[in-house]
Amino acid sequence: MEKLQETRLEIDLNALRFNFQVLKSHLKPETKIMGVVKAFAYGTDSVVIGKALQDLGVSYLAVAYIEEGIRLRKSGIDLPVLIFYPQLEELPQLLEYKLTPSVYSFNFLRSLHQNLKTQGVKDFPIHLKINTGMNRLGFDPPQFEEVKQSLSDRETLKLTGIFSHLAAAGMAEERDFTLDQIQRFKTAVTSFEEYAHEHLLTHLCNSSGILNFAEAEMDMVRAGIGLYGYGNNAEEHFKLKPVVSLKTPIAQLRWIKKGESVGYDRKYVAQESRHIATLPLGYADGISRQYGNNNGIVKIKDQTAPIVGNVCMDTLMVDVTGIDCEVGDDVLIFGRGHSALEFDKNSLSIPYELITRISQRVSRIILDDQNG
Ligand SMILES: *Cc1c(COP(=O)(O)O)cnc(C)c1O
């Protein structure tokens, strides 16, 4: 009997622990760490990673949406959870599950206040989001006075934290821009601390900020991609270990002759006799069509093999000519020993996108060898 395994995403908690220590080694011992577990913990499993991070001693977790926070709460995680993009429709759940909202608009402030007032809640903690140059979300300096005014009027809300986001902390050539962001943030912190008459929990750094800007450390850092083993440049990648490995078995092998084609639209035509392996994963599993036609490289028996022809919905084909392999042999799409950057040979995307795209139909396997 052949032992066929299915397509799976292995999640290596030892690698997570290793990366956590690497990031931590860049910080002062007292600096708090917020573990970012949005988007299923970057495509892995937010509950598993959230609990592992809780055990490692993070002070906070962060997700994008309220629903993601509820998932953490329902699993028993009781750490403070910051919601980056709380949606108005889910405000009652935000309160019910004691999630901390990032506040970046007057509209949201108003609705949050109304909800809290109806429920008779006072001093609900919020973190204020400041725009320092990313120009995505956050209040700008000309709005600060109005923000303070709306907070003073509302005993329902308690400003406990203040944060901003670095746009290019992984780019050495944007160092001046980042230093300017840091300065703007510090100015905003001073302004709001004077208003609040107390110290606020300050946080600015993402993973690249942690690795490159000690001067931006503040009270807490928000670690995302680095925990999962990737960075924003070669030097950062080099320090870390990929947490996820996407694997699949060879479903079928065949030799094709010169002039024969592979897959839809006949995009690959053999110039000579070639050995082709069909793998049971496709764009519905998160391997985008852009990786077809020699743009994606997989690893089989420690040798590399390019994707040939177009990626299909549930399958893709690779050229394994010269590789001694059989049906059922495991193929590493990317992960430990063949990183997402090596898979994405022409840098069509970034590791963030590659790992968060792996669809939920791919089963997740947790590797947790405490002694490993
Ligand atoms: C996703 C996110 C992070 C984490 O960034 P990484 O580059 O993955 O470390 C931090 N802060 C905010 C606001 C985010 O949206």
Side-chain angles (χ1 to χ4, degrees):
M1 278 268 283
E2 279 174 319
K3 187 171 165 290
L4 277 183
Q5 283 190 295
E6 56 172 350
T7 300
R8 65 220 183 265
L9 191 69
E10 291 180 355
I11 302 167
D12 180 354
L13 295 184
N14 282 319
L16 177 81
R17 293 185 190 105
F18 175 87
N19 298 331
F20 180 84
Q21 296 307 340
V22 170
L23 294 175
K24 202 173 161 57
S25 73
H26 284 258
L27 302 170
K28 298 187 202 100
E30 68 271 23
T31 301
K32 294 183 164 72
I33 299 177
M34 173 186 275
V36 181
V37 296
K38 62 192 181 191
F40 299 101
Y42 289 51
T44 62
D45 181 315
S46 59
V47 168
V48 170
I49 300 290
K51 286 187 169 166
L53 291 173
Q54 181 165 293
D55 291 345
L56 282 165
V58 300
S59 304
Y60 263 83
L61 293 174
V63 290
Y65 302 114
I66 291 170
E67 211 174 287
E68 297 180 301
I70 296 173
R71 194 189 178 92
L72 297 174
R73 284 283 180 264
K74 285 190 169 162
S75 80
I77 290 174
D78 51 15
L79 286 172
V81 175
L82 184 65
I83 310 292
F84 288 143
Y85 317 117
Q87 308 292 300
L88 289 176
E89 309 77 58
E90 296 175 311
L91 272 183
Q93 290 96 305
L94 180 93
L95 310 189
E96 182 185 345
Y97 288 95
K98 297 194 164 36
L99 303 165
T100 308
S102 153
V103 172
Y104 51 81
S105 77
F106 290 114
N107 189 29
F108 182 81
L109 258 184
R110 250 190 315 276
S111 302
L112 180 60
H113 166 70
Q114 255 132 37
N115 264 272
L116 291 163
K117 203 170 163 190
T118 315
Q119 305 209 18
V121 179
K122 283 199 172 138
D123 290 332
F124 195 78
I126 63 169
H127 285 207
L128 210 57
K129 178 85 185 271
I130 306 297
N131 178 31
T132 53
M134 174 84 171
N135 290 321
R136 181 171 66 173
L137 294 171
F139 290 107
D140 289 295
Q143 299 174 304
F144 288 178
E145 284 316 308
E146 195 182 340
V147 173
K148 292 174 190 173
Q149 196 56 52
S150 13
L151 291 174
S152 303
D153 292 348
R154 290 160 179 166
E155 72 296 343
T156 47
L157 304 169
K158 178 156 177 62
L159 179 61
T160 57
I162 179 166
F163 75 110
S164 187
H165 194 49
L166 298 175
M171 298 179 77
E173 59 273 39
E174 294 295 353
R175 194 168 175 83
D176 288 345
F177 176 85
T178 304
L179 292 174
D180 186 50
Q181 279 202 284
I182 297 167
Q183 197 42 55
R184 288 178 196 215
F185 181 63
K186 288 183 174 170
T187 306
V189 168
T190 307
S191 163
F192 279 95
E193 285 186 337
E194 272 170 12
Y195 153 80
H197 296 298
E198 62 183 321
H199 184 71
L200 300 172
L201 185 64
T202 55
H203 46 109
L204 178 60
C205 283
N206 54 3
S207 301
S208 284
I210 297 169
L211 296 171
N212 306 317
F213 289 92
E215 57 273 66
E217 200 168 314
M218 314 306 291
D219 297 328
M220 182 160 73
V221 296
R222 302 185 304 274
I225 196 75
L227 290 174
Y228 306 98
Y230 292 97
N232 284 294
N233 59 51
E235 203 188 326
E236 293 176 21
H237 294 310
F238 187 69
K239 297 178 176 161
L240 305 159
K241 291 183 184 170
V243 165
V244 296
S245 294
L246 180 60
K247 295 181 179 176
T248 195
I250 294 176
Q252 195 164 53
L253 280 164
R254 65 168 45 75
W255 281 96
I256 61 168
K257 296 194 194 78
K258 175 178 175 173
E260 285 193 292
S261 60
V262 173
Y264 284 122
D265 302 343
R266 309 193 62 215
K267 285 293 177 201
Y268 174 80
V269 178
Q271 300 302 308
E272 56 188 353
S273 173
R274 304 300 292 178
H275 202 199
I276 304 296
T278 301
L279 310 182
L281 89 168
Y283 58 76
D285 300 291
I287 300 301
S288 162
R289 270 181 101 250
Q290 68 188 347
Y291 291 108
N293 304 302
N294 204 21
N295 287 304
I297 306 289
V298 304
K299 204 161 188 186
I300 305 172
K301 300 256 170 132
D302 269 326
Q303 286 177 267
T304 55
I307 298 177
V308 289
N310 284 331
V311 173
C312 309
M313 190 184 297
D314 313 304
T315 49
L316 56 81
M317 279 68 89
V318 295
D319 183 345
V320 295
T321 310
I323 303 177
D324 180 17
C325 57
E326 333 176 351
V327 167
D329 280 350
D330 245 338
V331 179
L332 177 60
I333 307 299
F334 56 72
R336 192 74 170 276
H338 181 65
S339 80
L341 295 131
E342 291 168 282
F343 167 80
D344 184 6
K345 143 180 125 168
N346 296 320
S347 303
L348 298 179
S349 186
I350 53 175
Y352 291 80
E353 190 182 27
L354 273 159
I355 66 174
T356 56
R357 282 186 83 126
I358 303 309
S359 89
Q360 291 296 310
R361 89 170 171 183
V362 175
S363 43
R364 268 66 178 164
I365 311 270
I366 312 300
L367 306 182
D368 188 7
D369 171 14
Q370 292 275 1
N371 309 312

